[in-house]
Amino acid sequence: MRIPKILFLTLLWVCTGTLAQNKQLLYDFTEIPQSLLINPGVQTDFKWYAGVPGISGLSFQAGSSGVSAYDLFAADGIDFNTKVRDRLLGGMTTRDELSGTQQIELLNVGFRSNDPNVFYSFGIYNESDAIGYWFQDYAILAIEGNADRLNQRFDLGDLKTRGEMMNVFHFGVNKKMNNKLTVGGRAKIYSSILDFNSTRNKGFFVTRPGQNNLLSSTFNADMKWRTSGINALKAAENEEDIPGTILKRGFFGGNLGLGIDLGLTYQLNKQTVFTASLLDLGFIYHSNDVENYTLKGDVTTEGVEVILPQDVLDPNRDFWQDLVDNIEEIVPFENNFNNYITFRPTKLYASLRYNWGEQALRGADCDCGPYVTSSNRVPKFVNGVGGQLYMINRPRGPQAAITAFYQRRFGNIMAVKATYTADKFTYTNIGFGLNLQAGPVNLYLMADNLLAYRNIADSRYASFQLGLNIISWGKK
Amino acid sequence: MKRILQSVLFVMLLLGGMSACTEELDFNQFDDLEATPTYEAGILYLEAQEDLINLISGTNVFSQNFNFDAFSSDIFADRVLDGTITFVVENTTSKELAITVELLDEADTVTDTEIFSIEPAPTAIIQREIAYGDSGRSIDIIKTLSTIRVTATNLGDNTSVSTLPDPLITLKSSGKFRLRVK
């Protein structure tokens, strides 16, 4: 069997990396409306804003904690098989992962209430998220086999992956409680388009010296692969109607879930700010187009075993078929259509910022055009420096990242943020974000792990975000 | 304003300096990947007690065909490169025996034969590795294997009884084969 290249690369992608969701550049970047999606309790001073549909918030992130494309495919003269053995089989562990996330905003609108301390925002965005951990023992079995590995257990739990695509409908409320505290919350309805997960597999395969025969093989499995929406998309592919099916399932025609985001900003003193947010505390109930697969049982075989004379009383007995049937009976591979629940990968952010420097110019003082009125923007310090913490719940437990940042404002037309982030992917992640305000038009661009751009193929982590909004500060 | 312009210029220079480049990659290397794992497992275990042997008059203790489709299935036969079958014959009975293992294809044609003549206990153990593939017999023997025929012939008497506990003749076997997965 020849494994198609695309399948290999997909497996590599799924199984060697992690797609992180950290948006450390956007977090608490209060000039950008999308910061409300990462902390609903952020300090806002907009009168209203509207994202440009489709391009108000684009973000793509991909990361691999194991190998990069360059590690494997560099034209370095090293035999490819050597690289696979040394860098994949020998260089990675089951904690190495590959993951990716993309978000595309379809609608994002915010407006201030009659109560000037309350700001509402709502919208729709499409999100895809996938993660796969390196399946070390499966790879050893596939590339090297089980020979000469007596008593070595191949852990079936090494298969640990999940992925999903959904539309998220959200409505958030942000309220300034007093001069120190701003809180916010966001309710979410998830409309799942597709989901797959196989994260709680247990079991092993081991070859031992046999009791009777030379070798015995034991297969102990408790494995599940759950899916929803996959069959609908397969059918749509046959009918050449994938966009229609995605659209239908993404707008309440698939599986639904509920979630909330919570956040706050607390002014410790005039210049020091603490923020925190908890995102995607929610679940999706899968009952539509569900198909699950299970493999469960415990069997040991030493091959065809014949004890004379009793085993040959039936001259027509098919020992081989009996063995196969017996194994399939003890360890059945089955499918079912049982409903299931998945929990969203919950994220936690927190930051501490120290601000200083002269206050930024108010809108009245800048040459921002007729749409920006004069008196509603909250004066902000020019400089900000601080640290951020990010955590996300993943199938092998929480992952964390720490970030140091410096933010600088240039009047009301530009703000920049530089970050240094350390996480499992890289210790040299320097990011840069740029926010431009031209009249009512707001444009932001952010990129991560910039040092790796010297050789993007060797990067183990990359993210990119951009957005275009129309913002008004109006009058309070 | 001058500071702002300077800052914009700085950012542009920074982004320009950071503009992505990539060293040459050669994805065609994937074509060079060779995945040829080696797998091993038990094949056939057979035992016959000495009292059974003594019950049978004549020399032909038994001859039995065992269907064995593991190697001729497409998933194996299309990929197997080479390998070995290991046989261990142990005789704790009091008589000399001959074990003949024949490999047959689907048309019941004998494609390979291995004969083990084994002395009575206590020194009667034979281990033999049969190689198939480039350095041994034709791998087609394995690819077409459909039946294993085992024949036991009593080269001794029908009356003696071994002094060892639970005397019997056993045939153990395992296979170790290298497959081309990619």
Side-chain angles (χ1 to χ4, degrees):
Chain A
M1 177 183 67
R2 291 180 60 82
I3 302 175
K5 185 185 295 186
I6 188 68
L7 176 60
F8 175 82
L9 295 175
T10 303
L11 288 173
L12 184 67
W13 182 83
V14 167
C15 301
T16 64
T18 285
L19 214 49
Q21 296 185 323
N22 192 1
K23 291 183 176 176
Q24 72 274 32
L25 282 159
L26 186 56
Y27 184 76
D28 206 33
F29 206 139
T30 56
E31 283 81 357
I32 303 173
Q34 278 70 22
S35 63
L36 272 162
L37 293 175
I38 309 179
N39 180 2
V42 77
Q43 291 175 331
T44 62
D45 58 357
F46 313 120
K47 176 65 176 175
W48 61 265
Y49 72 83
V52 177
I55 54 173
S56 60
L58 295 171
S59 67
F60 301 91
Q61 297 173 309
S64 165
S65 64
V67 296
S68 66
Y70 185 78
D71 290 334
L72 287 178
F73 293 103
D76 51 12
I78 300 174
D79 179 64
F80 188 65
N81 293 287
T82 301
K83 288 191 274 191
V84 167
R85 283 184 166 76
D86 291 350
R87 297 171 190 179
L88 287 182
L89 294 186
M92 293 177 57
T93 73
T94 55
R95 296 203 69 82
D96 285 320
E97 64 189 53
L98 177 70
S99 66
T101 300
Q102 68 80 23
Q103 277 188 5
I104 300 174
E105 281 187 7
L106 306 176
L107 176 69
N108 189 5
V109 176
F111 62 93
R112 192 160 296 281
S113 160
N114 291 333
D115 177 352
N117 291 319
V118 176
F119 190 81
Y120 299 110
S121 59
F122 63 92
I124 310 167
Y125 64 85
N126 175 272
E127 177 177 320
S128 299
D129 175 51
I131 181 169
Y133 290 89
W134 173 242
F135 43 70
Q136 175 77 357
D137 283 2
Y138 290 83
I140 291 173
L141 270 177
I143 295 176
E144 297 186 344
N146 72 326
D148 303 318
R149 293 175 182 268
L150 284 182
N151 299 314
Q152 177 177 334
R153 285 191 177 203
F154 294 90
D155 188 353
L156 303 182
D158 283 2
L159 176 60
K160 200 175 278 287
T161 184
R162 62 169 294 181
E164 57 190 343
M165 178 191 286
M166 73 191 70
N167 282 348
V168 181
F169 302 80
H170 58 88
F171 182 85
V173 179
N174 173 284
K175 182 169 185 179
K176 183 177 179 182
M177 306 299 291
N178 52 48
N179 284 336
K180 287 192 169 183
L181 178 64
T182 301
V183 300
R186 183 174 304 282
K188 290 180 169 178
I189 298 174
Y190 306 111
S191 182
S192 171
I193 297 166
L194 68 88
D195 177 85
F196 65 87
N197 64 82
S198 184
T199 58
R200 295 184 179 180
N201 297 313
K202 291 184 288 186
F204 60 88
F205 170 71
V206 64
T207 305
R208 301 187 181 102
Q211 297 284 324
N212 291 326
N213 208 346
L214 298 175
L215 297 172
S216 80
S217 303
T218 298
F219 188 76
N220 176 298
D222 185 0
M223 305 179 71
K224 283 182 188 169
W225 179 271
R226 304 188 296 186
T227 74
S228 75
I230 304 286
N231 291 335
L233 288 173
K234 281 182 187 171
E237 185 180 19
N238 295 333
E239 297 167 6
E240 298 182 349
D241 187 29
I242 289 181
T245 301
I246 289 177
L247 201 62
K248 178 187 169 191
R249 294 185 64 81
F251 283 85
F252 308 107
N255 293 296
L256 301 178
L258 295 172
I260 56 168
D261 297 348
L262 301 169
L264 65 87
T265 298
Y266 188 75
Q267 200 81 35
L268 296 171
N269 56 46
K270 186 181 177 186
Q271 290 178 273
T272 309
V273 181
F274 171 77
T275 74
S277 68
L278 190 64
L279 307 180
D280 283 322
L281 195 61
F283 68 92
I284 298 174
Y285 182 66
H286 299 267
S287 60
N288 176 288
D289 193 37
V290 170
E291 184 160 13
N292 309 317
Y293 304 90
T294 62
L295 186 65
K296 186 173 183 178
D298 184 0
V299 66
T300 297
T301 178
E302 299 188 1
V304 173
E305 292 191 79
V306 184
I307 311 294
L308 296 178
Q310 59 266 34
D311 283 346
V312 292
L313 295 178
D314 177 4
N316 296 318
R317 182 175 172 186
D318 186 336
F319 289 90
W320 170 250
Q321 195 56 51
D322 287 352
L323 176 66
V324 171
D325 292 345
N326 188 44
I327 291 173
E328 288 180 347
E329 184 179 344
I330 297 174
V331 191
F333 178 69
E334 297 176 317
N335 68 331
N336 65 63
F337 306 95
N338 299 338
N339 302 339
Y340 66 92
I341 290 176
T342 54
F343 292 95
R344 304 278 357 259
T346 302
K347 279 85 72 177
L348 171 72
Y349 285 92
S351 77
L352 191 64
R353 175 211 292 261
Y354 176 73
N355 299 312
W356 81 95
E358 60 190 80
Q359 305 269 312
L361 295 174
R362 288 171 176 244
D365 300 323
C366 73
D367 187 16
C368 298
Y371 298 97
V372 180
T373 53
S374 60
S375 59
N376 301 301
R377 300 182 88 162
V378 174
K380 293 171 181 173
F381 289 97
V382 170
N383 301 289
V385 66
Q388 293 174 191
L389 170 70
Y390 167 77
M391 296 185 77
I392 183 170
N393 188 28
R394 285 302 199 184
R396 285 199 188 275
Q399 289 172 14
I402 54 171
T403 297
F405 68 88
Y406 170 71
Q407 191 167 356
R408 170 85 183 182
R409 297 183 173 91
F410 301 92
N412 282 334
I413 66 167
M414 187 170 78
V416 297
K417 183 176 180 181
T419 58
Y420 166 77
T421 300
D423 57 21
K424 70 182 296 184
F425 305 108
T426 174
Y427 295 136
T428 57
N429 181 349
I430 293 175
F432 188 80
L434 170 66
N435 180 68
L436 293 172
Q437 189 71 43
V441 178
N442 167 257
L443 170 69
Y444 68 90
L445 296 164
M446 295 171 175
D448 217 352
N449 205 16
L450 295 173
L451 294 179
Y453 280 52
R454 290 171 299 183
N455 181 10
I456 192 70
D458 200 21
S459 173
R460 292 181 181 177
Y461 178 86
S463 79
F464 184 74
Q465 297 164 70
L466 68 86
L468 193 60
N469 301 289
I470 305 297
I471 301 177
S472 170
W473 282 265
K475 287 182 180 291
K476 270 188 177 179
Chain B
M1 193 64 188
K2 185 181 176 185
R3 284 175 57 193
I4 293 173
L5 289 174
Q6 285 175 338
S7 301
V8 170
L9 184 62
F10 168 75
V11 169
M12 291 175 68
L13 287 172
L14 181 67
L15 291 176
M18 293 293 185
S19 59
C21 48
T22 182
E23 293 193 26
E24 184 185 358
L25 298 181
D26 178 11
F27 289 102
N28 289 327
Q29 292 179 83
F30 178 82
D31 296 334
D32 301 331
L33 177 63
E34 291 187 358
T36 54
T38 304
Y39 299 106
E40 63 179 352
I43 296 178
L44 172 67
Y45 170 80
L46 187 145
E47 73 171 48
Q49 303 284 338
E50 185 174 47
D51 53 4
L52 169 71
I53 298 169
N54 283 340
L55 281 174
I56 296 170
S57 58
T59 59
N60 186 13
V61 178
F62 65 83
S63 181
Q64 182 74 34
N65 285 2
F66 302 103
N67 177 39
F68 194 83
D69 293 329
F71 295 159
S72 57
S73 62
D74 290 344
I75 197 170
F76 185 90
D78 291 348
R79 296 170 180 76
V80 64
L81 298 173
D82 50 40
T84 58
I85 293 181
T86 300
F87 293 101
V88 174
V89 181
E90 185 172 5
N91 182 13
T92 58
T93 72
S94 60
K95 55 213 86 225
E96 183 181 358
L97 295 163
I99 303 293
T100 302
V101 178
E102 295 169 293
L103 306 185
L104 290 72
D105 63 16
E106 202 161 348
D108 280 343
T109 303
V110 176
T111 56
D112 197 15
T113 302
E114 198 64 30
I115 299 173
F116 305 87
S117 294
I118 186 161
E119 297 294 321
T123 57
I125 295 181
I126 296 175
Q127 177 166 332
R128 195 175 296 168
E129 287 188 4
I130 315 297
Y132 297 89
D134 290 343
S135 60
R137 302 174 188 176
S138 170
I139 193 65
D140 288 338
I141 294 169
I142 299 300
K143 291 181 178 181
T144 59
L145 176 60
S146 178
T147 301
I148 301 173
R149 177 185 294 157
V150 181
T151 302
T153 305
N154 184 354
L155 303 179
D157 60 67
N158 296 97
T159 55
S160 61
V161 177
S162 171
T163 56
L164 295 174
D166 195 21
L168 44 74
I169 176 84
T170 61
L171 169 69
K172 304 176 182 180
S173 60
S174 66
K176 179 193 284 188
F177 288 96
R178 193 165 62 98
L179 279 64
R180 179 174 296 284
V181 176
K182 163 72 174 69

